[in-house]
Amino acid sequence: MNTIQLSKKMINEQSSKPKPITDRRKRKEMTSAEVISDVKQEKVLEEVVSISSTSTSLVPKEIMKHFKKGDPKFYEAMQTIERPCAMFEESSPPTIDGAFQSLCRAIIYQQLAGSVAGAIYIRFLGLFPPGPFPSTAGVSTRKAEYLRGTAEYFQSSIPENFISMNNDDIARHLTSIRGIGQWTVDIFLMFYMKRLDVLPVGDLAIRKAMASHFDVTPAKGKLLSGDEMVDLARPWEPYRSVACWYLWQLTDQEAALQKAEKLKQKEKAKKKKTAKKVIVHKCFHSKKKKKKKKTKTEKRTATKNADNKRETDNYKKNTETTL
């Protein structure tokens, strides 16, 4: 199914659909538990996310030399990432059809965790054909409108030379579509168009990662501004897309390490708590046993004393009777 056919299907099914629900609670995205529970084939998700397990060997040597010279600290950090850089994975040349699909994917991923967005995206693809568009895939009403607007644009307004345009011209065209902002454009340019010098200044994770890497402390409650990010990233030019990809990987790696450390500490605390309970249990039973032994001894002593007293009393009584 090509772009025009897919676009027409989107538009026709959306126009024939009843009025969208206005209740905000019902318009919310599906929760991660609801979405992930429906995804049974992990291999499909891996194909969408493009997970691999090789090293930085895909990155051209001249680019690695550029980072080694311009930012040695970052170059060392890059060596810790085992995944291949997605910017250099083999892919087909960009096309209008591919651009449309890539933008739909970027819209679905907006403001969602990667695992949840990936699950929704798989379900969304499963709707074509057949299936109603697109609420059953877990896409919100608003994002459905964005996807429909993108389909309309690609059906009627996309320039023939779109693929060969420069970054600024592509951004100008795409941001005219409702629901597509600069972040979506940047992700599209980086991962579909494979443009190597894109800096997504609107990405929260990149802002935080850059502040951490360059040891910059923004004002309290604030993040790095776009201008500050551009200045800091000058040593990475003209490969800022590559640097940002590694920043995302480093952020995920750090989060995974922190999670592992938390689990380790939790397990350690659990073992410590269990050991403490065992000690308390042993002490309690030890005291109880000692108490029981002491009570039995006292009972025997008391009985013996009582018997001795009885014998003494009987002896005195018998003596007095004799006399």
Side-chain angles (χ1 to χ4, degrees):
M1 182 178 290
N2 61 29
T3 302
I4 301 302
Q5 291 172 330
L6 184 55
S7 301
K8 286 180 178 178
K9 179 177 176 64
M10 285 176 150
I11 295 167
N12 293 337
E13 292 185 348
Q14 181 68 8
S15 59
S16 63
K17 194 179 171 187
K19 235 180 177 178
I21 298 171
T22 54
D23 187 350
R24 288 186 178 180
R25 290 174 296 179
K26 294 181 181 179
R27 288 171 55 191
K28 286 184 178 179
E29 311 282 358
M30 295 179 68
T31 63
S32 58
E34 291 173 332
V35 174
I36 295 173
S37 63
D38 291 338
V39 182
K40 297 178 181 180
Q41 297 182 354
E42 293 183 0
K43 291 182 180 179
V44 180
L45 181 58
E46 288 176 359
E47 288 178 4
V48 174
V49 182
S50 300
I51 296 176
S52 305
S53 60
T54 54
S55 64
T56 55
S57 58
L58 286 181
V59 182
K61 291 182 179 179
E62 60 269 20
I63 295 180
M64 295 303 293
K65 287 180 180 178
H66 176 83
F67 283 109
K68 187 175 183 179
K69 183 179 179 181
D71 192 342
K73 178 183 174 183
F74 190 69
Y75 173 80
E76 293 298 326
M78 291 170 71
Q79 308 304 310
T80 66
I81 303 300
E82 294 184 352
R83 277 189 66 181
C85 182
M87 307 303 302
F88 302 101
E89 290 178 342
E90 290 186 11
S91 59
S92 302
T95 62
I96 296 294
D97 287 354
F100 173 69
Q101 294 175 22
S102 178
L103 284 167
C104 287
R105 183 178 185 274
I107 289 171
I108 289 172
Y109 270 70
Q110 288 174 358
Q111 299 179 339
L112 288 177
S115 58
V116 177
I120 293 175
Y121 182 62
I122 292 171
R123 295 177 63 183
F124 174 76
L125 292 179
L127 298 178
F128 303 97
F133 171 82
S135 59
T136 53
V139 179
S140 68
T141 303
R142 179 168 294 180
K143 283 189 179 179
E145 293 172 359
Y146 296 165
L147 291 167
R148 179 171 178 265
T150 304
E152 289 175 339
Y153 180 84
F154 271 78
Q155 183 183 8
S156 59
S157 306
I158 190 74
E160 291 183 4
N161 64 334
F162 178 79
I163 298 300
S164 60
M165 288 180 177
N166 61 39
N167 293 355
D168 292 337
D169 287 341
I170 289 176
R172 181 169 52 82
H173 279 276
L174 293 183
T175 52
S176 67
I177 304 171
R178 185 171 177 238
I180 295 183
Q182 190 59 48
W183 179 87
T184 304
V185 173
D186 290 340
I187 297 302
F188 169 74
L189 290 171
M190 291 174 68
F191 293 102
Y192 183 70
M193 301 296 288
K194 303 290 185 180
R195 303 290 172 89
L196 297 181
D197 195 29
V198 178
L199 180 66
V201 295
D203 191 273
L204 183 62
I206 295 296
R207 286 185 174 188
K208 291 181 177 180
M210 286 186 68
S212 175
H213 173 69
F214 290 106
D215 296 322
V216 177
T217 307
K220 191 175 181 181
K222 293 185 178 181
L223 296 170
L224 290 175
S225 67
D227 291 338
E228 289 174 326
M229 292 173 71
V230 171
D231 288 338
L232 290 171
R234 293 198 188 284
W236 299 339
E237 293 178 350
Y239 305 115
R240 293 179 297 179
S241 297
V242 179
C244 289
W245 185 87
Y246 275 100
L247 284 177
W248 278 315
Q249 304 310 307
L250 290 166
T251 300
D252 290 344
Q253 181 175 266
E254 181 63 26
L257 290 172
Q258 289 179 0
K259 186 177 180 180
E261 184 61 27
K262 283 182 180 179
L263 289 173
K264 187 178 178 181
Q265 293 297 330
K266 191 176 180 180
E267 189 64 27
K268 190 176 180 181
K270 188 177 179 181
K271 287 182 179 179
K272 190 175 181 181
K273 190 176 181 180
T274 303
K276 189 176 180 181
K277 282 184 178 180
V278 170
I279 292 171
V280 171
H281 183 74
K282 286 182 177 179
C283 290
F284 174 77
H285 283 281
S286 178
K287 287 181 180 179
K288 196 173 180 181
K289 286 180 181 179
K290 286 181 181 179
K291 190 175 180 181
K292 282 182 179 179
K293 287 181 181 179
K294 187 176 179 182
T295 303
K296 286 180 180 178
T297 303
E298 286 178 350
K299 281 184 179 180
R300 285 197 294 268
T301 304
T303 302
K304 189 175 181 180
N305 291 338
D307 292 340
N308 290 337
K309 186 179 180 182
R310 197 180 298 111
E311 288 179 5
T312 303
D313 290 341
N314 289 336
Y315 176 77
K316 286 181 179 180
K317 188 176 179 180
N318 291 333
T319 303
E320 288 174 358
T321 303
T322 305
L323 293 174

